[in-house]
Amino acid sequence: MQTWTQMKDIQPLAAQMLMNSFKKDRISHAYLFQGNRGTGKREMSILFAKSIFCKNKEGAEPCQSCRDCHRIDSGNHPDLHWIEPEGQSIKKEQILHLQKEFTYTGLESNRKVYIIVDAEKMTVNASNRLLKFLEEPSQQTTAMLLTESGPTILDTIRSRCQLLAFQPLNPLRVQEKLVEEGVSESNARLLSSLTNNLTEALEMNEDEWFANVRKLVIQLIEVLQNKPNEGLLFINHQWMPHFKERTQLQRGLDVLMLWFQDVINQLLDREESIIFTTERENLNQAAMRWSRQSAARSLTDILEAKRKINQNVHPNLVMEQLTLQLQR
């Protein structure tokens, strides 16, 4: 459940603009919510729909407990229509079906709302059909188009929508939201350092594969510190079997980079910046093993490894070379 107060913490400008539209009774017939995945577009669209339909709202704030609010939460409100990609795209037939639905009077009021998710995935025919729909707006109709790629939306569609830009979430705010969602403080610090996409962070937190990434990074560091001659053995028998895809290996290297950043933070007494807060003993040992200069050099080596992975150099060779560099 989201309130406008909560949404203002996440997306202050977009939330304030929509709240003002209620205060001034100037709800536009079409909005384009543009921003990266996980920035709150879907949550905002649901809250906005509740504010439109809720009969017990105070200002813009819906009551969250009436029949309309509950049915919007469950996806069963008869006058709120969702359009999402079927397969890889949103097709002309889906827009035609929507138009047909809107020829009927609202079942419980004259107000109708439709939300198009991943609007950039509309086919050309679907976009042209939607354009005709937008060119003859009903004052009782409100459209919300949600997209991660605003520039790919037809200019003629964009010009008929009020644009709301959803900004990337602040890492500290992502961390706070993750803790509110029940994520441990240590995991929240790590996840918010890897992504400012709240949805992605929550998915990673539930992913057993990712949980093992953290363990493998710590194990690699322990091997490099205590049994450096076994470094290549560890890479080939434990590290690489876990990172079967290049994207997975990139994620592992991202976490490894955060570790060496923490080594530098430890050496500089930047307590508030440390991410691996539950690995203090390992960090203390690492701060004795790597100087600030060698830790910085290790970060450079990891960045170079990431670049080689992107250039399709064989992952095993990249990791073997990186391991030898980290042992220096």
Side-chain angles (χ1 to χ4, degrees):
M1 181 187 297
Q2 298 279 358
T3 66
W4 284 111
T5 300
Q6 291 171 322
M7 289 308 303
K8 281 185 70 175
D9 284 342
I10 298 171
Q11 293 293 342
L13 293 178
Q16 190 61 56
M17 287 178 67
L18 292 178
M19 291 174 69
N20 288 343
S21 69
F22 280 101
K23 292 178 183 177
K24 299 176 181 178
D25 195 23
R26 293 181 181 174
I27 298 175
S28 176
H29 72 278
Y31 296 88
L32 180 62
F33 292 4
Q34 175 181 319
N36 292 336
R37 179 172 172 266
T39 51
K41 300 187 298 297
R42 192 181 189 105
E43 293 83 354
M44 188 88 80
S45 68
I46 292 172
L47 182 60
F48 194 47
K50 285 182 181 178
S51 295
I52 289 174
F53 287 113
C54 180
K55 299 177 180 64
N56 302 321
K57 63 177 176 284
E58 295 184 8
E61 199 69 64
C63 71
Q64 303 284 3
S65 59
C66 68
R67 188 163 175 254
D68 285 311
C69 287
H70 283 314
R71 287 192 299 178
I72 289 172
D73 279 331
S74 64
N76 293 319
H77 197 288
D79 295 324
L80 172 60
H81 301 268
W82 289 85
I83 295 181
E84 304 196 44
E86 291 183 353
Q88 297 298 313
S89 63
I90 295 172
K91 299 170 178 61
K92 175 184 176 182
E93 290 72 25
Q94 293 175 264
I95 305 299
L96 287 172
H97 178 72
L98 176 71
Q99 288 177 298
K100 183 178 179 181
E101 288 288 329
F102 274 61
T103 61
Y104 306 132
T105 303
L107 293 180
E108 298 182 11
S109 71
N110 290 327
R111 171 70 69 177
K112 282 180 174 285
V113 173
Y114 62 97
I115 300 171
I116 301 180
V117 181
D118 294 334
E120 74 277 5
K121 295 182 179 179
M122 286 188 291
T123 64
V124 173
N125 287 335
S127 295
N128 288 331
R129 178 55 60 177
L130 178 66
L131 179 59
K132 291 184 179 180
F133 202 20
L134 292 173
E135 286 174 340
E136 301 173 0
S138 163
Q139 289 189 343
Q140 299 298 309
T141 298
T142 301
M144 286 175 269
L145 281 62
L146 282 50
T147 181
E148 295 181 28
S149 181
T152 62
I153 304 290
L154 285 180
D155 288 341
T156 45
I157 290 179
R158 288 171 59 88
S159 67
R160 286 165 173 77
C161 298
Q162 182 174 339
L163 176 62
L164 295 179
F166 283 61
Q167 302 301 318
L169 302 188
N170 180 285
L172 184 59
R173 183 59 185 144
V174 174
Q175 182 179 328
E176 292 171 352
K177 290 292 292 182
L178 289 171
V179 172
E180 289 173 14
E181 293 287 339
V183 178
S184 68
E185 186 76 37
S186 60
N187 277 351
R189 277 178 174 260
L190 175 60
L191 293 166
S192 62
S193 299
L194 291 170
T195 177
N196 59 13
N197 182 323
L198 186 60
T199 303
E200 182 182 16
L202 287 169
E203 289 173 353
M204 289 165 63
N205 186 62
E206 297 296 326
D207 188 353
E208 185 178 349
W209 178 88
F210 180 75
N212 287 323
V213 171
R214 182 178 185 140
K215 294 177 183 177
L216 282 168
V217 166
I218 301 302
Q219 288 171 3
L220 173 60
I221 294 300
E222 290 176 344
V223 169
L224 292 175
Q225 287 180 169
N226 304 317
K227 301 177 181 178
N229 292 335
E230 297 180 14
L232 294 180
L233 192 66
F234 178 85
I235 288 298
N236 285 297
H237 289 274
Q238 295 191 56
W239 181 278
M240 293 309 299
H242 190 67
F243 300 99
K244 294 182 174 63
E245 299 176 7
R246 290 176 184 271
T247 54
Q248 293 179 333
L249 183 53
Q250 291 283 14
R251 180 64 78 196
L253 291 174
D254 288 338
V255 177
L256 188 60
M257 284 189 67
L258 292 176
W259 173 266
F260 278 100
Q261 287 176 11
D262 264 9
V263 172
I264 294 175
N265 288 329
Q266 176 80 359
L267 289 164
L268 295 176
D269 292 324
R270 294 177 184 159
E271 181 69 26
E272 73 286 349
S273 299
I274 289 177
I275 294 166
F276 290 87
T277 54
T278 58
E279 306 292 341
R280 304 314 296 243
E281 184 176 345
N282 284 329
L283 265 180
N284 288 332
Q285 292 179 5
M288 290 186 285
R289 164 67 174 77
W290 284 276
S291 66
R292 191 173 71 179
Q293 291 76 17
S294 61
R297 188 167 59 243
S298 295
L299 286 173
T300 302
D301 292 336
I302 297 169
L303 281 171
E304 178 64 14
K306 286 174 64 64
R307 186 184 66 81
K308 289 178 180 177
I309 294 297
N310 282 334
Q311 293 178 337
N312 289 325
V313 179
H314 197 285
N316 284 76
L317 294 178
V318 173
M319 283 307 305
E320 287 176 0
Q321 181 181 24
L322 176 62
T323 302
L324 293 173
Q325 290 169 330
L326 298 178
Q327 287 174 347
R328 288 186 306 226

